[in-house]
Amino acid sequence: MEQKEPQPTLWAEVVGVLRGELRDYTQGSMARSILLLAIPMVLEMFMQSVFELADAYFVGQLGAAALGAVGAGASLIVLVFAVGFGLAMGVTAMVARRIGAKDRDGANAVAMQAILVVLLVSVPLAVPGLLFAPEMLRLIQAPESIVKVGSSYTSILFGTNGVILLLFMINGIFRGAGDAVLALKALALANALNIVLDPILIFGWGPVPAMGVTGAAVATTIGRGVGVTYQLYLLFKGKGRIHLQLTQLQVLWRVMRRFIALSAPAMLQMFIATASWMAIFAFIGAFGEEAAAGYTVAVRILVFALLPAWGMGNAAATLVGQNLGANQPGRAEHSVWVTSFVNMVFLGIVALVMYLFAEHLMHLFTQEAGVVAVGASCLRIISYTYVLFAFGMVMTQAFNGAGDMWTPTWINFFCAWLIQLPLAYFLAFTMDVGVSGVFAAIATAQGLMAVVGVVVFRRGRWKTRKV
C-alpha cells in the first residue's frame, strides 16, 4: 500500500513562504492559504507605514510647525498615492486572475504594460507640486508657519512621484501573483535606508548640513528609489512568478486599454477617499497649528495600527482574484468571510488599546500638551467603530480583487462625501463641537461603509466580473 507524503507543518510552510517558495492559493486549506498569504502582506503594510512614522518621529523633534508641515504635505501627496493605489489595484486584479488561470505569459504582459503606464502618468503629476507647492498648502488651509516649512517637503515628494507610483504598482504585481514576500523585501530595504538617512539629513551629521523637514523628503525619496531598483531586479531576474524581459518592452494596446479601463475607477475610488481626507485636514487646520500637528501624529499611529488589517484585506483581494481565475467562486467568497472575522477580532483589540493608551501613544512622538490632547481624542473617537470597519476594509478589497472597482467607488463617494464631510462640518462649526466633531464624523462614516459593503457583497454580482 502506497504511503502518503507527510504534510508539512504550518511553521514549515510559513518559513517557506517567507523564503519565497511558490504556493498555489487556489487549492488546499483555506485557513492556511489566508494565513500564509496574509503574513507577508501584513509585514509589507507595516513596512509601508514606517516611512511616515520615521519621518514623524524625527521631524517631531523640530516642533509643532515642522510636524504639521509633514502632515500637510502628506495630505497633498495622497493624491499621488491615490493614483498609485488605483494602478496597484488594477494590476493586482488582472495578474491574480491570470495566475489563477495558470496563464503566466498573460500575467507577464499585464505587468509590463502597467509599468509603461506608470512612466507616462508620473510626468504630469510632478508639475503641480514642483510649481505650486505653497499654493497647494494654502488651499488646504495650512497656517503660514506650516507653508513656510513644508513647501520644499511637498515639492520634492511630488517631483519624485514616479518612484512612489512604481513602488506601489510593482508591489501590486507581486501581490496579485501571490509573491507578497518580494514586496516585503523591497519595502524592508527602502525603509532601512530611510531610517538611516532621516536623522543624518534632518539634523545634519558630520559634513552633511541640517536640512530640517526637507531632509525627511530627501531621505524617503532615496529609500524608495533603491527599493524600486530592487523590485525591477526581481522582476527581470524572474525571482517570483512574474518574469519580465526587455523584448517585452512594447505597447500592447489591447492589454494596456484593459488595464487603464480597470484602473481608472480604482483611481477615482482612491481620489474620492483621499480628497475627502484633504478636506478633513482643512477642517482641522482651521483650529490651529496644534490641532494640525495632533491630527498628523494620530493619523500616523492609526495607519500603523490598521496596517495588519489592510494586509489581510490585500490577502483577500489576491485570493478572490486567483480563485475566480481558477473558476472557484465559492472558495473566493469563503476566503472573504473568514478574513473578515479574523480582521474583526484584530481591530477589536486595536480599538481597546487605542482607548486605554491614547496619551501614551501620542507621547512617543511629541511632548506638547495641546498636540497630545488633540491626538488622543482622535485615537479614541475613531476607534469606536473599528469592529465594524474591519468588515468594510476586507469587503472593499474583495470587490477590487474581483475587478469590480465601481462598487467600492460608489460606496466611498456615498460615505465620504455625502455623509462624512457634511457631518464633520456640521458638528465642528455649526454645532461648535470643534475637532472632536470631525473625528466623530470619521467614525460614523467608517461604520456606515462597513454595513453598506456587507449588504452589497452578499448580492454576489462581483463574481461575474471579467478582467
Side-chain angles (χ1 to χ4, degrees):
M1 186 175 179
E2 186 178 344
Q3 290 185 340
K4 292 183 179 180
E5 290 187 15
Q7 290 294 314
T9 65
L10 178 59
W11 176 249
E13 288 193 280
V14 169
V15 171
V17 166
L18 293 177
R19 284 177 176 170
E21 294 177 8
L22 303 183
R23 176 184 172 87
D24 188 349
Y25 293 103
T26 63
Q27 299 178 15
S29 165
M30 176 57 69
R32 282 203 176 193
S33 293
I34 292 172
L35 180 65
L36 295 174
L37 197 54
I39 287 175
M41 288 189 178
V42 167
L43 293 174
E44 176 204 344
M45 296 308 291
F46 269 127
M47 290 291 103
Q48 194 70 257
S49 80
V50 170
F51 286 113
E52 285 74 21
L53 278 175
D55 287 353
Y57 175 78
F58 290 112
V59 171
Q61 298 175 43
L62 301 178
L67 198 53
V70 171
S75 295
L76 290 171
I77 203 66
V78 290
L79 293 173
V80 173
F81 287 4
V83 175
F85 276 122
L87 293 171
M89 286 189 286
V91 79
T92 295
M94 292 185 71
V95 168
R97 190 70 67 95
R98 284 153 182 77
I99 290 296
K102 306 297 188 289
D103 180 11
R104 296 277 286 273
D105 290 339
N108 290 337
V110 169
M112 182 61 82
Q113 298 309 297
I115 290 174
L116 293 177
V117 168
V118 165
L119 296 177
L120 292 173
V121 167
S122 63
V123 176
L125 276 178
V127 175
L130 286 173
L131 299 181
F132 307 110
E135 290 78 9
M136 292 170 69
L137 289 168
R138 292 188 184 102
L139 187 64
I140 60 171
Q141 303 298 310
E144 281 303 312
S145 59
I146 287 178
V147 173
K148 182 180 179 180
V149 175
S151 292
S152 60
Y153 178 87
T154 303
S155 181
I156 290 170
L157 291 183
F158 267 92
T160 58
N161 77 86
V163 174
I164 298 172
L165 294 180
L166 282 171
L167 192 67
F168 279 131
M169 201 275 301
I170 296 176
N171 277 354
I173 293 173
F174 290 146
R175 285 194 297 271
D179 295 330
V181 71
L182 300 183
L184 171 62
K185 289 179 178 179
L187 282 174
L189 175 61
N191 271 300
L193 277 174
N194 182 52
I195 291 171
V196 170
L197 292 174
D198 252 347
I200 296 174
L201 298 179
I202 292 172
F203 307 118
W205 286 9
V208 179
M211 301 173 67
V213 175
T214 302
V218 175
T220 299
T221 299
I222 293 173
R224 284 174 172 152
V226 173
V228 168
T229 302
Y230 181 61
Q231 287 177 322
L232 292 172
Y233 164 78
L234 294 172
L235 286 175
F236 282 91
K237 283 295 183 179
K239 297 296 184 178
R241 291 179 174 86
I242 304 299
H243 187 189
L244 301 184
Q245 301 177 40
L246 290 177
T247 55
Q248 299 167 322
L249 195 59
Q250 56 183 305
V251 176
L252 303 176
W253 291 110
R254 182 182 61 82
V255 179
M256 184 175 284
R257 281 196 300 268
R258 185 59 192 148
F259 172 65
I260 293 172
L262 196 63
S263 298
M267 284 188 279
L268 177 60
Q269 177 189 147
M270 296 307 300
F271 271 122
I272 288 170
T274 53
S276 72
W277 287 111
M278 288 173 63
I280 288 293
F281 187 87
F283 291 166
I284 293 171
F287 292 95
E289 189 178 276
E290 285 189 339
Y295 175 70
T296 296
V297 176
V299 165
R300 274 155 177 72
I301 294 171
L302 288 169
V303 167
F304 188 78
L306 284 174
L307 287 176
W310 278 112
M312 284 185 273
N314 287 337
T318 298
L319 286 168
V320 166
Q322 290 195 6
N323 282 288
L324 288 178
N327 198 28
Q328 299 185 86
R331 181 179 172 87
E333 182 175 4
H334 181 56
S335 71
V336 175
W337 289 116
V338 174
T339 307
S340 295
F341 280 103
V342 173
N343 217 19
M344 179 188 68
V345 173
F346 170 75
L347 284 187
I349 296 171
V350 169
L352 184 62
V353 172
M354 293 291 179
Y355 186 83
L356 294 177
F357 303 105
E359 285 84 4
H360 294 83
L361 293 170
M362 288 295 300
H363 277 302
L364 294 175
F365 296 89
T366 179
Q367 302 302 316
E368 298 188 34
V371 176
V372 170
V374 171
S377 174
C378 178
L379 293 177
R380 287 198 173 99
I381 294 173
I382 293 180
S383 69
Y384 289 156
T385 54
Y386 266 14
V387 171
L388 278 176
F389 191 46
F391 282 85
M393 295 176 75
V394 175
M395 296 298 165
T396 296
Q397 293 301 86
F399 288 128
N400 290 326
D404 181 8
M405 308 297 184
W406 280 110
T407 294
T409 299
W410 286 114
I411 292 174
N412 267 285
F413 176 74
F414 172 74
C415 295
W417 284 89
L418 301 185
I419 302 297
Q420 180 176 268
L421 293 183
L423 183 59
Y425 186 88
F426 175 76
L427 292 175
F429 302 106
T430 305
M431 297 301 294
D432 203 26
V433 176
V435 289
S436 294
V438 179
F439 304 148
I442 295 171
T444 301
Q446 283 183 171
L448 184 61
M449 186 181 298
V451 173
V452 175
V454 169
V455 170
V456 177
F457 180 81
R458 287 174 61 88
R459 294 179 180 175
R461 294 178 183 173
W462 53 271
K463 298 176 184 178
T464 62
R465 296 290 178 177
K466 303 295 183 184
V467 300

